[in-house]
Amino acid sequence: SNEMFTTYYDIFVRNAHGNYKDILREISYSPIMADMLTYHESKSQEIIWRTKREIQFADENYAREIMQLFSIGLHILNIDGTYKLDDDGNKMLTYTNDDIEEYARVWTGFTRQDLRGNIEAHDEKAVADSNSIDPMKINANWRDPYPKMGLEGKYIGDGYMLCADIPAKSFLKEGAMYRLLGKTKLSDVQRQFIKKNSSDADIYVTVLDENSSLREKLCNTVDGNCQYPSTVTIDHPLNCNGSECGLDQVQVVEVAENLYYEYMKPPCVRHVLFGTGQVAAVGTSPSLLLCIDKNADSAAAACCPIGSNNAKHDSCKYTGEVLPYEKAEARCFEDNMSLCQFTSIDALSCGACCSYEGIFWYGIDNSCAVIVVINKDGKIALERQDSPRQDYDSLTFFRVHWQNNYPSLENQCGNGICESVGDYCRCIPKEETEIFYKAAPQSHDVLNDLHIGGVPPSMMDYTATEVRDGIKIHFRNQIDVYDKDVVFEVKDEFGRVLFFRNIINKVKLGSNGLVSDDFGFRNPPTFMKQEAPEVRDAQYETEAALDHIFYHPNSAPFLANWMIQRLGNSNPSPRLVASVSKAFKSGIYVTSTHSFGSSTYGDLSATVAAIIMDREFRYVVLDQDMSYGSLREPLLKVIAIMRSMEYVQTYTKLSVGLYGAIESLGEMAYEIPSVFSFFLANYASPGGVSNAFLRSPEGILSHKTPSMLNGMYSLVKFGLSECYGGFGLYQRKGCDNEGVFDEALGHLTYNPSFFDEDNVIDELSTLLTSGRVIGPNQELIQRAYLSIMSTNQNQAAALRVAQQLIFSSAEFHTNGIPRNTNIRKDTSSTFAKKSCIQNYKAVVHLQLQGGLDSYNLLVPHSGCSGLASYEQYAQVRGSMGLPKTSLLQIDASSSSQPCDKFGIHPSMPFLKKLYDEKDASFIAGIGVLSTPVTKNDYNEKTRTTLFAHNTMRDELGRLDPYLSMGGTGLLGRFADDLTTKGYSVNSFSVDSGVQRLEGKTPTTVKKALDSKNGIQRFNPSDIEFGDFIGQQAELLNGKVDGYNNVFSDAWSESLYDARNANEYYWAQQKTNVTEEFLAEDLIDGKKSEKFNDGLKTIAQMIGSSECRGSDRDLFYIEYGNFDHHKKMIEELANKLSDFDKILASFVDEMKAQALWDQVTIVVSSDFGRTLTGNSAAGTDHGWSGHSFILGGALDGGKIHGKYPSDLKESQLSRSRVIPEVPWEAQWNAVAQWLGIEDEQGLSHALPNRLSFPSTMILDRKNVFLPDDLINTSCEGEGEPISCSGTLATNVPTASSSHPSTISSSSPSLSPSLPPSGEKGTPTPRPSHIPSSFSPNGQSSSLVPIATDNDNQSWNPSQTLNRLSSIPSPNPMLAPSLIPALSPSLPPSPSQHTSLTPSKRPS
């Protein structure tokens, strides 16, 4: 897959200094993007109905994400990036789900190019559709042909000229474009309607005369030789010559023998409803009749001799020529024939026309009409009058701009103007065109009022042009007469020159000859011919759709803020965002000496220049600002180390690789965890960042701090290898010799220019932190460097220590300057010491990422009353439903649901077993709610942005839609309340940050666990100097003098958290996991294995609860991906099968630990999904779904909540179901079970709980057994808590005794040794642990004692040198006053060689 990914990456390299529109276009045509966001081979509802007789919709995935993530974001912004607010002070959405549904129809028809022989195949089979390199092509027959209303109520075709307005001989006009076809005669347009067995000899094209001006232009002669460019644009009007003069239009022209160009007809649109329809036939033996606009150039002339119905098609000027009805009629008349209702077309005497088998006009004055069908939401669909559709549900409905109200069943289908058919109104349309302006308008009025594009002067000869109030007015007839042929030329806010005709086209409705003025709408435009869709029109429509989002007022501020964040400022000022937005819009950025950009909207050179040349990026004084800067990306930090420290690859046959980086860093190229990439723009690290209402996107990966630092330390000491969590691929033969790189893949070769401590640290600071290591931190690293030099005279070892300490500093991990005092923070990593554990309980919040299709998890089966039934389920779900015989039946007769029997998905037999054993219950109809809503008011009453992954997940983790408890998470507030009630509470998140665990109580333990390794030990490779690096790192990130940079604080907090994790590491290792977790039996590969390992780690932590002294443990873990936009039936079955097996392992382990009665698992997911499928056999983002809860304390075997009594009536568009109960319902019962039973505590834990009636909230007594029915005994009086005693099998014991002196031959007593089997296990060797080393992380003589001087503020402009004030432990070393940062260490091992200065290029 190398070529596939590098080709995709080249999109960004190629356009880095180009235009953002080109990036949007290229990624939209990329097969990799189409695979990731599932629109590859998405098909229109129309083609699915025709071919399968199933109702399936266009895939919505890309339509949503290209707007939310790649262009305009979720909420409307001012130019400076601040939110625009409505009259009630609320943020406003940039788009709605109706917009998503319309745009989804744009992204139909995309499919891979055929595989080429000179590229990598997508898979080993090398099938034709495995081309992941070339931009995709569009299958026009799969494309949705109907109008699409997009953002701000504008149709995608608004502003484009009508196809009927394109003047004759436009192929000779200024601006006409041609594309080189080479030796083939067939364009993409022709190819669709040519007989399959046609040869080039059967295809006739327009042959240009030797003297043709067009031929000369296409030839592009240089020094007498034709160059034949790949594309040619005519730059001035040309005169016709020879055969050109008899043609209105051309398709393909021959400029030389076997050399052809295609004329690219300009983009144009058609009104979907037309005044007069004419019947046309498909094929030479008509099997399908169509009703099409008689003014459209959509059909060929089939001419019959008088009295015959056997037609001839021999009058075309070139193969594939199509004409409007009247011109086709005239063509027949020239040959003394007429259009007719033919039975066949002569296939022999047809000359140039024989190979065409497309659409033909069918009969003289054979008129027809298109009927408008209106659904309950006011959307319309089209039906042919003479061929009524039997099932209106199968029609494609789209939005229109209603003049007032619309006919509906509630107003008797327009007071009888239209007829009612089932749930729909059926109306006859009448098209009307009106002149709009009678006098010169203002520019902004033209842009708001007119929608039909005008023909530009380059293509049309106008009588006169006047300029009035900044508008160019083109008159075709009489000056100052504002008729329908007047065209206004205006410039919009993005700098585009646009042309509009002085007309509006309306549709009025009626029936039986009656037309009402009360019911009408603007006639919507479409690029696509419904009767004969063309690839070129689909490409034009795609380009127009991209323009809709690219030329949106939100694009500039949204992209500006996003790029500023990625370039190093997480919280840009509104002034900076406005400046960058303006550069993006104008395409130019000018300084006093330079100009950047092309003056074109969307220019990235101008945009980036506006960022990095701005004072917020260049003024060093801002380094002292507490809110300035950002956390650096983990991957970029590692790359910075490898570059600046001069990494050299030893094994040159292998490419440089950071193996397992996605696990250790949380970030790696081509390994994004989801379409949201690695960071969320609005993420705020807990603590100072969040409290200051700032953002720190990179902070979302702070839980990777231990593994990231371990990898960095390993890179310094062992090279690129697997030693002690290193980033390398291979395990070396022993990892006990620092500085020996013989078997590493590569290593850092940096040699400092000078070796005195001042210059070494200055140079490292310059290379790694741009010189930000100053003041106390600079001094501390200098003293550490000098201390190592003084004790073992090893320059290489001293350099490694200095490098590791800088890698540990906030200056390296952020781009601000901390105000550090080198005094250790007052934190405690010791466990609470309890005399007796208080009725231990644990809650595991298990989030199924992506949006589980839970309407296939819990299905009505039998014993149903009312409308809800399996039959209704099967009717609504169609091909997305499960066979009744496959369902695992459960009894719900005691649950007040519409059915007595429900079915569980057949892939979850263990869940059924738990339900039958009353250890599981379902909560039906659950979802994110701010307050109870209906389909009429849900938009106004819902505070959460619906249907988006990130916003719905955020709310699930917060359950505080009105932000009354800002900065806290659901489990964090639970921990707050439990702590105030005297419980000892530990909270853990697995493979994610701790934001969901954040509360207001600082003493509550919050830890991030790694699914693969559980608690990560800090610096297990620190074998040469004991805990020296760790202790010095604490001082580098210690107490601050006054206010500190919030990003430095965020980093130091994550480092201290990593340092304090060792006790939890030993707690985890203490627990034997008796159950074999079934990773090898899983279907879904790495994601399931990761989840399996995560639950195993949780099982270990639960097992260590007693030694940790924890009364309550709260866990958060995620499992994905359930975002099944394609192949839902197959993919969901596999995913749930893995899920069921892993749950079984975890539950069996809890039972083996005799803790199942004390554990509750709460399962949630982003949202439910649409009940109807899409054309990729998947489902899209919905709302309501079903969750379940597991545990030995449950009074289970019930279905709580409310399963919809009518799946049809509960729906929004696309069968999205409105929730019946909020997520607060189940969490209320869980909170009570944990011990939060008072109203005050519950209202704090669930601040939005009282927004719902009590009937929508679950109570503990309905969900759980009483505590006296489960095992809650507290055995013994208890002892002081410690997890450092006897460990689980294969885990080494760390001795608690440390003699005052350790000889060089003594074995190590440090608990930093990894357990047996852990990669990088050192062999026993002479210890270098200082005599005063303390394994519990407390200060030793390695740590300088703070003096009064340490508490004083420091001035970064001063040169601080306090080395002379600290006595030397070794008077033999000069100078005589050297700080005692290290005890006397034995001489360095013989393997350690001295580093010598080396010359490096400047």
Side-chain angles (χ1 to χ4, degrees):
S1 61
N2 288 346
E3 188 176 8
M4 175 175 73
F5 283 119
T6 53
T7 299
Y8 183 78
Y9 185 73
D10 280 346
I11 294 173
F12 304 96
V13 175
R14 185 167 52 250
N15 296 295
H17 298 286
N19 196 285
Y20 191 72
K21 170 69 179 299
D22 296 326
I23 292 178
L24 276 181
R25 182 190 302 110
E26 291 196 46
I27 65 168
S28 296
Y29 278 87
S30 166
I32 293 180
M33 180 62 73
D35 275 342
M36 182 171 73
L37 289 177
T38 63
Y39 61 102
H40 177 246
E41 297 196 349
S42 177
K43 301 177 182 68
S44 70
Q45 181 182 348
E46 185 80 9
I47 195 68
I48 293 294
W49 177 255
R50 288 182 189 173
T51 56
K52 296 183 178 180
R53 281 300 187 262
E54 291 182 8
I55 300 174
Q56 294 181 350
F57 298 87
D59 189 306
E60 297 178 0
N61 205 4
Y62 190 58
R64 182 183 307 277
E65 308 305 0
I66 191 176
M67 291 194 290
Q68 180 183 345
L69 302 179
F70 305 157
S71 57
I72 62 175
L74 288 172
H75 298 103
I76 299 176
L77 304 173
N78 295 301
I79 190 69
D80 63 3
T82 58
Y83 291 114
K84 283 188 176 180
L85 305 177
D86 62 18
D87 293 339
D88 296 323
N90 298 317
K91 292 182 286 188
M92 297 182 289
L93 296 175
T94 52
Y95 59 84
T96 67
N97 226 57
D98 286 335
D99 295 326
I100 296 295
E101 292 176 22
E102 301 267 327
Y103 280 118
R105 296 189 286 114
V106 172
W107 303 108
T108 51
F110 286 87
T111 186
R112 283 183 168 86
Q113 301 277 4
D114 293 337
L115 184 66
R116 294 187 281 117
N118 60 340
I119 61 173
E120 288 182 348
H122 184 57
D123 55 40
E124 295 179 359
K125 297 179 181 178
V127 294
D129 68 346
S130 62
N131 183 343
S132 292
I133 305 297
D134 297 323
M136 291 183 294
K137 60 185 177 182
I138 299 177
N139 184 328
N141 290 319
W142 293 353
R143 185 58 162 256
D144 181 279
Y146 297 104
K148 301 157 182 84
M149 184 193 295
L151 299 171
E152 300 176 310
K154 299 174 182 177
Y155 287 104
I156 289 176
D158 279 351
Y160 285 84
M161 73 178 94
L162 296 174
C163 296
D165 289 347
I166 296 177
K169 294 185 173 51
S170 62
F171 62 93
L172 297 173
K173 302 291 186 180
E174 179 183 341
M177 294 183 63
Y178 289 82
R179 179 172 71 102
L180 179 65
L181 295 177
K183 293 185 177 182
T184 179
K185 293 181 178 180
L186 280 178
S187 68
D188 290 337
V189 174
Q190 289 176 304
R191 200 180 304 275
Q192 295 173 258
F193 309 109
I194 299 300
K195 293 178 181 178
K196 291 183 179 179
N197 59 352
S198 299
S199 66
D200 269 4
D202 300 322
I203 309 301
Y204 288 75
V205 300
T206 303
V207 180
L208 299 183
D209 190 84
E210 287 288 335
N211 299 320
S212 166
S213 298
L214 177 58
R215 181 187 180 279
E216 180 182 352
K217 187 68 179 175
L218 297 175
C219 174
N220 190 30
T221 302
V222 176
D223 296 330
N225 297 313
C226 289
Q227 303 301 303
Y228 301 122
S230 58
T231 59
V232 176
T233 300
I234 306 302
D235 55 7
H236 64 276
L238 303 176
N239 294 320
C240 67
N241 186 285
S243 60
E244 303 163 22
C245 298
L247 297 173
D248 286 343
Q249 300 294 348
V250 297
Q251 281 192 351
V252 175
V253 297
E254 184 180 56
V255 295
E257 186 176 359
N258 291 327
L259 195 67
Y260 305 94
Y261 274 89
E262 176 190 10
Y263 168 58
M264 305 294 291
K265 184 189 68 177
C268 62
V269 296
R270 305 152 185 85
H271 282 128
V272 71
L273 293 164
F274 38 82
T276 305
Q278 185 71 24
V279 176
V282 178
T284 55
S285 298
S287 57
L288 176 65
L289 300 180
L290 304 172
C291 184
I292 61 179
D293 185 357
K294 68 185 302 181
N295 296 316
D297 55 347
S298 297
C303 307
C304 291
I306 304 301
S308 172
N309 57 4
N310 293 318
K312 292 181 178 294
H313 175 49
D314 58 2
S315 60
C316 67
K317 303 297 184 183
Y318 51 83
T319 304
E321 181 188 29
V322 290
L323 304 165
Y325 175 81
E326 290 184 357
K327 289 188 177 181
E329 189 177 35
R331 189 74 63 84
C332 291
F333 185 75
E334 291 172 3
D335 296 330
N336 295 317
M337 292 188 284
S338 65
L339 297 174
C340 59
Q341 296 184 20
F342 58 89
T343 56
S344 64
I345 296 178
D346 186 350
L348 298 176
S349 58
C350 46
C353 310
C354 284
S355 295
Y356 176 78
E357 57 177 2
I359 298 174
F360 299 88
W361 292 112
Y362 190 71
I364 299 177
D365 296 329
N366 190 7
S367 62
C368 58
V370 174
I371 303 301
V372 170
V373 179
I374 307 168
N375 71 10
K376 59 184 178 180
D377 299 319
K379 296 180 180 179
I380 74 166
L382 307 180
E383 175 197 20
R384 264 188 55 213
Q385 186 179 30
D386 59 341
S387 180
R389 197 76 160 250
Q390 297 300 313
D391 185 356
Y392 284 168
D393 289 343
S394 67
L395 293 172
T396 299
F397 286 86
F398 52 89
R399 294 183 293 177
V400 294
H401 282 291
W402 288 99
Q403 179 179 327
N404 295 305
N405 198 3
Y406 59 87
S408 65
L409 298 182
E410 285 149 5
N411 58 26
Q412 292 74 50
C413 285
N415 302 317
I417 288 297
C418 305
E419 63 173 320
S420 63
V421 180
D423 294 332
Y424 303 89
C425 292
R426 189 173 183 269
C427 313
I428 297 176
K430 180 182 178 182
E431 179 205 31
E432 294 181 353
T433 299
E434 299 176 0
I435 297 171
F436 196 82
Y437 289 118
K438 305 297 184 182
Q442 297 292 315
S443 176
H444 64 273
D445 291 329
V446 171
L447 290 168
N448 290 330
D449 296 336
L450 299 182
H451 309 285
I452 299 173
V455 180
S458 60
M459 294 180 64
M460 181 72 74
D461 295 326
Y462 289 98
T463 304
T465 297
E466 298 285 328
V467 179
R468 297 174 185 173
D469 296 327
I471 303 178
K472 286 185 179 180
I473 306 174
H474 303 284
F475 297 97
R476 187 151 182 218
N477 300 313
Q478 185 177 346
I479 297 177
D480 284 339
V481 175
Y482 287 82
D483 57 20
K484 63 183 180 63
D485 293 320
V486 167
V487 170
F488 300 103
E489 180 180 343
V490 296
K491 184 178 287 189
D492 69 4
E493 64 174 300
F494 309 105
R496 293 181 296 176
V497 176
L498 305 173
F499 300 88
F500 293 95
R501 280 189 69 185
N502 186 30
I503 58 172
I504 56 171
N505 190 272
K506 296 181 179 179
V507 174
K508 296 182 179 179
L509 301 178
S511 65
N512 301 321
L514 299 175
V515 176
S516 172
D517 290 331
D518 296 330
F519 302 100
F521 52 85
R522 174 159 72 88
N523 201 352
T526 178
F527 284 89
M528 306 298 295
K529 295 179 182 178
Q530 296 172 53
E531 65 277 5
E534 296 180 2
V535 171
R536 188 166 54 208
D537 289 335
Q539 293 168 344
Y540 285 150
E541 183 181 57
T542 301
E543 192 73 7
L546 292 173
D547 282 345
H548 255 223
I549 58 179
F550 179 62
Y551 293 106
H552 185 278
N554 242 47
S555 291
F558 175 80
L559 294 170
N561 185 77
W562 174 67
M563 283 190 266
I564 293 168
Q565 284 191 325
R566 297 275 49 79
L567 289 173
N569 185 350
S570 293
N571 298 277
S573 69
R575 180 206 59 81
L576 175 57
V577 175
S579 174
V580 176
S581 299
K582 291 172 183 175
F584 185 90
K585 291 182 69 173
S586 66
I588 192 79
Y589 182 75
V590 180
T591 70
S592 59
T593 57
H594 292 85
S595 177
F596 302 89
S598 61
S599 298
T600 303
Y601 176 88
D603 186 282
L604 292 177
S605 292
T607 305
V608 174
I611 296 172
I612 63 177
M613 300 292 288
D614 190 85
R615 64 176 185 255
E616 281 189 38
F617 272 74
R618 295 191 300 120
Y619 285 13
V620 294
V621 69
L622 289 176
D623 288 346
Q624 306 296 330
D625 189 322
M626 64 173 293
S627 64
Y628 177 74
S630 68
L631 293 162
R632 297 174 66 192
E633 294 186 35
L635 180 60
L636 296 187
K637 288 184 285 193
V638 175
I639 298 301
I641 290 173
M642 298 178 79
R643 286 178 172 172
S644 61
M645 297 293 99
E646 302 174 20
Y647 174 84
V648 172
Q649 184 83 344
T650 303
Y651 293 92
T652 55
K653 292 183 179 180
L654 296 175
S655 60
V656 179
L658 300 178
Y659 302 96
I662 193 66
E663 284 82 21
S664 55
L665 301 176
E667 184 182 23
M668 188 57 194
Y670 309 125
E671 293 191 51
I672 56 173
S674 74
V675 70
F676 290 90
S677 193
F678 307 102
F679 318 111
L680 296 177
N682 289 325
Y683 177 80
S685 297
V689 175
S690 177
N691 294 340
F693 300 100
L694 299 174
R695 297 169 294 183
S696 54
E698 299 82 1
I700 203 168
L701 297 180
S702 63
H703 61 287
K704 295 294 184 180
T705 295
S707 53
M708 176 186 65
L709 282 177
N710 289 344
M712 291 177 177
Y713 296 157
S714 176
L715 181 61
V716 171
K717 293 188 278 191
F718 306 105
L720 190 58
S721 73
E722 275 191 322
C723 288
Y724 298 101
F727 303 130
L729 178 62
Y730 300 114
Q731 176 70 46
R732 298 182 56 208
K733 296 178 182 178
C735 297
D736 56 346
N737 292 320
E738 294 185 12
V740 178
F741 310 117
D742 295 345
E743 296 178 28
L745 294 175
H747 66 285
L748 308 179
T749 65
Y750 164 77
N751 282 330
S753 303
F754 304 94
F755 282 91
D756 63 285
E757 68 277 8
D758 289 340
N759 284 305
V760 168
I761 307 310
D762 280 346
E763 190 167 285
L764 287 174
S765 174
T766 299
L767 291 172
L768 293 167
T769 73
S770 300
R772 287 193 301 275
V773 178
I774 55 178
N777 277 2
Q778 181 186 35
E779 292 183 6
L780 187 146
I781 299 172
Q782 287 173 345
R783 293 197 301 270
Y785 177 85
L786 190 57
S787 176
I788 302 303
M789 288 287 291
S790 69
T791 51
N792 63 7
Q793 299 297 304
N794 191 318
Q795 293 174 342
L799 178 63
R800 289 196 298 272
V801 166
Q803 288 171 318
Q804 291 174 78
L805 291 181
I806 289 187
F807 297 165
S808 307
S809 70
E811 291 91 334
F812 177 70
H813 293 276
T814 73
N815 52 17
I817 297 179
R819 299 175 61 84
N820 192 23
T821 62
N822 294 167
I823 301 175
R824 191 181 187 277
K825 291 183 178 179
D826 296 326
T827 61
S828 174
S829 63
T830 57
F831 300 131
K833 292 176 172 56
K834 307 287 292 183
S835 61
C836 181
I837 304 299
Q838 296 188 49
N839 183 16
Y840 174 76
K841 293 180 180 179
V843 166
V844 180
H845 181 189
L846 201 166
Q847 168 73 7
L848 303 181
Q849 297 285 71
L852 170 69
D853 196 321
S854 51
Y855 277 88
N856 272 11
L857 174 67
L858 185 66
V859 180
H861 190 275
S862 53
C864 303
S865 58
L867 296 174
S869 63
Y870 174 82
E871 289 68 31
Q872 189 192 51
Y873 158 88
Q875 179 187 11
V876 172
R877 299 234 68 179
S879 61
M880 295 297 101
L882 297 172
K884 189 173 185 178
T885 54
S886 71
L887 300 174
L888 306 175
Q889 288 187 52
I890 58 173
D891 179 41
S893 57
S894 63
S895 297
S896 301
Q897 298 297 338
C899 299
D900 290 337
K901 300 285 185 182
F902 278 79
I904 296 178
H905 194 284
S907 294
M908 299 207 74
F910 183 73
L911 178 60
K912 169 182 163 49
K913 177 176 179 287
L914 288 178
Y915 183 92
D916 291 342
E917 293 173 351
K918 300 189 182 304
D919 281 355
S921 289
F922 287 93
I923 298 91
I926 197 168
V928 168
L929 287 171
S930 304
T931 189
V933 298
T934 67
K935 63 180 65 177
N936 297 321
D937 61 13
Y938 76 95
N939 262 330
E940 295 76 27
K941 289 187 174 182
T942 304
R943 291 295 299 267
T944 306
T945 302
L946 297 175
F947 314 118
H949 290 293
N950 60 320
T951 57
M952 300 287 265
R953 286 177 195 164
D954 285 350
E955 188 54 36
L956 271 172
R958 186 174 55 225
L959 288 190
D960 182 20
Y962 298 96
L963 300 180
S964 59
M965 299 294 293
T968 65
L970 172 68
L971 295 182
R973 295 193 301 273
F974 276 28
D976 281 348
D977 288 296
L978 291 168
T979 300
T980 61
K981 290 173 170 55
Y983 293 99
S984 173
V985 184
N986 284 195
S987 303
F988 303 90
S989 65
V990 180
D991 287 327
S992 63
V994 297
Q995 62 272 26
R996 293 170 181 83
L997 313 180
E998 282 299 317
K1000 298 297 185 182
T1001 305
T1003 58
T1004 301
V1005 174
K1006 298 177 286 290
K1007 293 292 177 187
L1009 303 174
D1010 179 80
S1011 60
K1012 185 176 182 181
N1013 301 304
I1015 292 286
Q1016 290 280 290
R1017 295 176 62 204
F1018 180 87
N1019 198 12
S1021 64
D1022 201 357
I1023 57 180
E1024 186 166 359
F1025 300 112
D1027 195 35
F1028 180 59
I1029 297 296
Q1031 294 184 31
Q1032 299 302 297
E1034 289 184 357
L1035 299 179
L1036 284 170
N1037 295 275
K1039 290 182 178 180
V1040 298
D1041 180 14
Y1043 293 106
N1044 193 35
N1045 182 279
V1046 292
F1047 302 104
S1048 298
D1049 276 344
W1051 164 253
S1052 66
E1053 288 300 320
S1054 66
L1055 181 132
Y1056 268 78
D1057 192 62
R1059 285 282 294 152
N1060 295 338
N1062 279 0
E1063 285 191 81
Y1064 288 87
Y1065 170 82
W1066 293 111
Q1068 177 192 346
Q1069 296 302 316
K1070 186 178 176 70
T1071 305
N1072 266 320
V1073 176
T1074 57
E1075 175 62 29
E1076 289 296 328
F1077 281 70
L1078 303 174
E1080 66 274 9
D1081 294 336
L1082 303 176
I1083 300 169
D1084 199 35
K1086 289 185 177 180
K1087 288 186 177 180
S1088 288
E1089 291 174 11
K1090 185 176 181 180
F1091 174 61
N1092 179 84
D1093 291 341
L1095 279 185
K1096 185 175 181 179
T1097 297
I1098 290 176
Q1100 289 178 301
M1101 298 311 297
I1102 289 175
S1104 71
S1105 60
E1106 184 174 351
C1107 82
R1108 289 184 287 108
S1110 179
D1111 302 319
R1112 297 290 184 268
D1113 279 340
L1114 307 175
F1115 297 91
Y1116 176 80
I1117 186 171
E1118 299 170 350
Y1119 179 40
N1121 182 359
F1122 287 86
D1123 194 19
H1124 292 133
H1125 286 276
K1126 64 179 180 181
K1127 298 181 180 179
M1128 185 274 289
I1129 294 292
E1130 173 187 348
E1131 297 295 335
L1132 183 62
N1134 291 340
K1135 202 75 179 177
L1136 290 180
S1137 176
D1138 284 359
F1139 185 35
D1140 199 62
K1141 293 174 185 176
I1142 297 169
L1143 278 180
S1145 295
F1146 180 77
V1147 172
D1148 289 347
E1149 171 60 27
M1150 291 298 94
K1151 290 180 178 179
Q1153 293 187 25
L1155 289 171
W1156 177 232
D1157 289 349
Q1158 290 148 271
V1159 175
T1160 294
I1161 304 171
V1162 181
V1163 180
S1164 64
S1165 193
D1166 308 14
F1167 36 65
R1169 303 191 75 83
T1170 56
L1171 299 182
T1172 52
N1174 61 40
S1175 59
T1179 52
D1180 296 310
H1181 298 188
W1183 193 357
S1184 171
H1186 315 305
S1187 70
F1188 55 93
I1189 184 170
L1190 315 173
L1194 287 181
D1195 183 11
K1198 299 176 182 177
I1199 300 178
H1200 301 287
K1202 185 179 180 183
Y1203 198 95
S1205 58
D1206 183 352
L1207 285 177
K1208 289 185 176 181
E1209 187 59 31
S1210 302
Q1211 295 177 11
L1212 302 173
S1213 61
R1214 273 295 313 274
S1215 302
R1216 293 176 172 88
V1217 182
I1218 299 174
E1220 300 279 358
V1221 294
W1223 286 105
E1224 283 84 352
Q1226 67 180 23
W1227 283 111
N1228 186 78
V1230 172
Q1232 292 172 326
W1233 176 73
L1234 281 171
I1236 308 171
E1237 300 189 84
D1238 58 297
E1239 284 299 312
Q1240 181 178 355
L1242 287 170
S1243 295
H1244 175 267
L1246 299 167
N1248 198 45
R1249 165 176 163 270
L1250 297 180
S1251 295
F1252 305 96
S1254 59
T1255 54
M1256 294 178 70
I1257 301 296
L1258 296 176
D1259 191 86
R1260 168 187 175 169
K1261 63 179 180 291
N1262 298 322
V1263 178
F1264 292 92
L1265 295 169
D1267 271 352
D1268 57 2
L1269 296 183
I1270 60 175
N1271 177 22
T1272 61
S1273 62
C1274 183
E1275 299 176 0
E1277 294 302 318
E1279 297 293 337
I1281 300 301
S1282 172
C1283 290
S1284 60
T1286 303
L1287 300 181
T1289 306
N1290 296 327
V1291 179
T1293 302
S1295 171
S1296 60
S1297 62
H1298 297 275
S1300 58
T1301 59
I1302 302 177
S1303 69
S1304 62
S1305 61
S1306 301
S1308 174
L1309 300 179
S1310 169
S1312 63
L1313 291 177
S1316 175
E1318 177 177 334
K1319 63 182 180 182
T1321 303
T1323 57
R1325 67 184 191 87
S1327 172
H1328 296 301
I1329 300 175
S1331 60
S1332 56
F1333 170 71
S1334 175
N1336 62 8
Q1338 302 305 308
S1339 297
S1340 71
S1341 63
L1342 285 173
V1343 183
I1345 300 172
T1347 65
D1348 291 340
N1349 215 23
D1350 290 312
N1351 292 317
Q1352 296 175 5
S1353 62
W1354 59 278
N1355 187 337
S1357 65
Q1358 296 175 347
T1359 302
L1360 301 177
N1361 188 344
R1362 295 178 288 176
L1363 300 183
S1364 60
S1365 64
I1366 305 176
S1368 169
N1370 190 343
M1372 297 299 293
L1373 296 175
S1376 61
L1377 298 177
I1378 296 177
L1381 287 181
S1382 172
S1384 177
L1385 297 179
S1388 60
S1390 59
Q1391 298 96 323
H1392 294 169
T1393 58
S1394 297
L1395 293 177
T1396 57
S1398 63
K1399 293 183 179 180
R1400 299 188 302 277
S1402 61

